[in-house]
């Protein structure tokens, strides 16, 4: 409609000399596409029910879950997102990249940090010049390159092509790849795990280490072996590190995957919580609410993050909403009576007693 197009145009804010040092808070309908740009500052967004294009020339980009596709880039900061319902493109020249489960293709490139992707239903292209690459579950092919760190794919259902100058490579094949794979490191070790009945035409070469597996024990140099009549090639090479092939059980890999997801989830949740707390102490209450809403998605933090949302609402003068939120915090397990009685952030609620 005409009104919707006008609203879209109003949201498409271009930074010029009048707005370069300004901060904008945009309130949009629940289902809405977002196109946002900033010349210097960060972009923080909650969940987006639609697609999003976000660009910052100098700040961090942090997004919740996105139901559609996401294209985000920064010239100087980290780029982080939750789950994404479509294709994902993330680029930064100065920070790390982190994403949740992606229902589509992933393109993630950075010049200065690590890359971590929890899950991708389509192909993954991850390249960094300054950190490690970690992929939880890749349901199709993976291309991973790192000039300064290791490469790990916890569960690979398709072919993996990984190259690192100085780090280790650890890949577990949980599905029969439909193409060739190549794992190369300049100075690190390579470990290839695989489920029973998965086959490869293996060529392994090391300049200074040994090659080990059920089909070879401690042999230096080069090994060629056809595992389970595999037709697709698996070329593995290390400049001076060891190479190891290990048959594993699906249950042990599933457990490792869940444990690593839990660790990553705790880390992301804690970062969001810390940011929300820092914002409320600086008097940035609206931004604090957004960060704590994201933190409250993590079960361990749900109660205390909801409590902090209630505090921010009280400081904004939204008494009824604050009281409802604090009741929710109690239901979610944050029931420290002394905290409720003595927290000065809640003084405005006590004035009506």
């Amino acid at each position: 409609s005409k009104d919707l197009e006008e609203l879209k145009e109003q949201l498409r804010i271009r930074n010029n000399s009048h707005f370069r040092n300004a901060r904008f808070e945009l309130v949009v309908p629940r289902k809405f596409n977002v196109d946002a740009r900033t010349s210097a500052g960060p972009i923080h967004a909650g969940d987006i029910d639609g697609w999003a294009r976000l660009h910052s020339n100098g700040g961090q980009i942090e997004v919740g879950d996105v139901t559609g596709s996401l294209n985000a880039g920064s010239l100087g900061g980290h780029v982080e997102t939750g789950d994404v319902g479509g294709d994902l493109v993330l680029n930064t020249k100065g920070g790390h990249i982190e994403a949740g489960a992606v229902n589509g293709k992933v393109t993630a490139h950075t010049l200065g940090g690590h890359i971590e992707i929890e899950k991708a239903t389509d192909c993954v292209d991850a390249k960094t010049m300054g950190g490690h690459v970690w992929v939880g579950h890749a349901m199709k092919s993976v291309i991973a390159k790192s000039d300064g760190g290791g490469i790990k794919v916890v569960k690979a259902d398709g072919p993996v092509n990984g190259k690192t100058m100085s780090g280790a490579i650890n890949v577990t094949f949980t599905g029969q790849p439909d193409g060739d794979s190549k794992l190369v490191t300049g100075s690190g070790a390579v470990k290839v795990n695989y489920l029973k009945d998965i086959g490869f035409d293996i060529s392994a070469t090391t300049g200074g280490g040994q090659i080990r597996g059920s089909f070879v024990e401690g042999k230096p140099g080069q090994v060629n072996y056809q595992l389970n009549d595999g037709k697709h090639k698996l070329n593995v090479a290390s400049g001076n590190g060891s190479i190891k092939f290990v048959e594993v059980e699906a249950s042990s890999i599933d457990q490792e995957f869940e444990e690593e997801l839990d660790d990553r989830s705790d880390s992301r949740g804690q970062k969001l919580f810390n940011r929300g707390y820092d914002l409320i102490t600086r008097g940035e209450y609206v931004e604090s609410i957004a960060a704590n809403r994201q933190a409250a998605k993590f079960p361990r933090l749900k109660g205390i993050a909801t409590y902090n949302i209630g505090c921010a609402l009280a400081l904004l003068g939204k008494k009824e909403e604050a009281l409802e939120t604090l009741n929710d915090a109690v239901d979610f397990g944050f029931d420290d009576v002394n905290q409720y009685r003595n927290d000065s952030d809640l003084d405005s609620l006590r004035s009506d007693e």
Side-chain angles (χ1 to χ4, degrees):
S1 69
K2 182 179 179 181
D3 290 342
L4 184 60
E5 292 303 317
E6 289 178 353
L7 180 55
K8 287 181 180 179
E9 186 61 31
Q10 291 171 16
L11 289 172
R12 212 169 262 117
I13 299 173
R14 305 290 181 182
N15 284 281
N16 55 37
S17 59
H18 297 291
F19 299 114
R20 209 154 275 164
N21 295 316
R23 184 178 66 200
F24 296 93
E25 175 194 344
L26 303 180
V27 180
V28 300
R30 179 168 179 80
K31 186 173 181 63
F32 205 79
N33 302 321
V34 177
D35 186 346
R37 300 170 184 266
T38 175
S39 290
I43 297 175
H44 298 290
D47 295 341
I48 297 174
D49 192 358
W51 57 256
R53 288 194 297 260
L54 309 172
H55 180 81
S56 172
N57 284 343
Q60 177 180 351
I61 298 176
E62 186 179 276
V63 194
D65 296 338
V66 180
T67 61
S69 62
L70 172 63
N71 188 320
S74 174
L75 298 182
H78 309 312
V79 182
E80 301 177 5
T81 181
D83 297 343
V84 177
D87 291 345
L88 175 66
V89 179
L90 301 179
N91 293 282
T92 176
K93 292 185 177 181
H96 64 250
I97 290 174
E98 296 181 2
V102 180
N103 186 26
K105 296 180 181 179
V106 175
T107 302
H109 296 169
T110 175
L111 298 181
H114 64 255
I115 298 173
E116 296 184 354
I117 310 295
E118 286 186 5
K119 182 179 179 179
T121 62
D122 211 326
C123 305
V124 175
D125 178 2
K127 297 176 183 177
T128 174
M129 296 183 68
H132 65 262
V133 176
W134 180 90
V135 180
H137 187 185
M139 299 178 71
K140 291 193 176 179
S141 65
V142 175
I143 298 174
K145 182 179 180 181
S146 173
D147 289 343
I151 295 170
K152 183 172 185 178
V153 183
V154 183
K155 298 174 70 173
D157 295 343
V160 178
N161 286 273
K163 183 177 182 180
T164 174
M165 298 295 291
S166 59
I169 299 177
N170 187 327
V171 177
T172 299
F173 289 96
T174 49
Q176 179 62 58
D178 57 1
D180 296 340
S181 297
K182 188 174 183 179
L183 307 175
V184 179
T185 175
S187 60
V190 181
K191 185 179 181 184
V192 177
N193 306 303
Y194 57 91
L195 299 185
K196 184 180 179 181
D197 299 330
I198 290 179
F200 298 102
D201 183 5
I202 295 173
S203 175
T205 305
T206 176
Q210 292 190 328
I211 303 171
R212 298 179 182 275
S214 61
F215 50 87
V216 59
E217 184 60 34
K219 183 176 180 179
Q222 182 171 355
V223 170
N224 296 304
Y225 183 79
Q226 193 167 34
L227 177 68
N228 294 326
D229 297 320
K231 305 302 181 185
H232 291 296
K233 295 183 181 299
L234 172 58
N235 295 324
V236 183
S238 175
N240 57 21
S242 64
I243 297 174
K244 189 174 185 179
F245 298 89
V246 182
E247 182 181 307
V248 294
E249 297 291 334
S251 58
S252 66
I253 296 304
D254 290 340
Q255 181 179 350
E256 178 185 357
F257 178 60
E258 292 301 324
E259 288 175 352
E260 294 207 24
L261 281 188
D262 287 344
D263 289 344
R264 186 179 182 278
S265 177
D266 283 345
S267 175
R268 175 168 168 76
Q270 192 63 50
K271 283 193 295 185
L272 288 165
F273 176 81
N274 290 346
R275 179 174 171 270
Y277 183 81
D278 181 58
L279 286 166
I280 201 171
T281 60
R282 299 202 317 249
E284 300 178 29
Y285 305 132
V286 174
E287 293 89 340
S288 174
I289 290 171
N292 276 296
R293 280 177 177 160
Q294 295 298 315
K297 293 180 180 179
F298 300 87
R300 180 176 64 85
L301 299 168
K302 190 171 186 178
I304 191 169
T306 303
Y307 172 82
N308 284 349
I309 294 171
C311 290
L313 290 168
L315 291 165
L316 287 168
K318 299 181 179 182
K319 296 184 179 181
E320 291 186 7
E321 193 174 350
L323 288 169
E324 292 176 2
T325 303
L326 292 171
N327 282 328
D328 289 339
V330 174
D331 292 339
F332 296 150
F334 189 76
D335 53 3
D336 186 339
V337 175
N338 289 330
Q339 182 72 24
Y340 286 90
R341 286 177 175 171
N342 301 319
D343 194 336
S344 61
D345 289 348
L346 305 180
D347 284 349
S348 64
L349 305 182
R350 301 187 192 96
S351 64
D352 292 335
E353 295 179 350

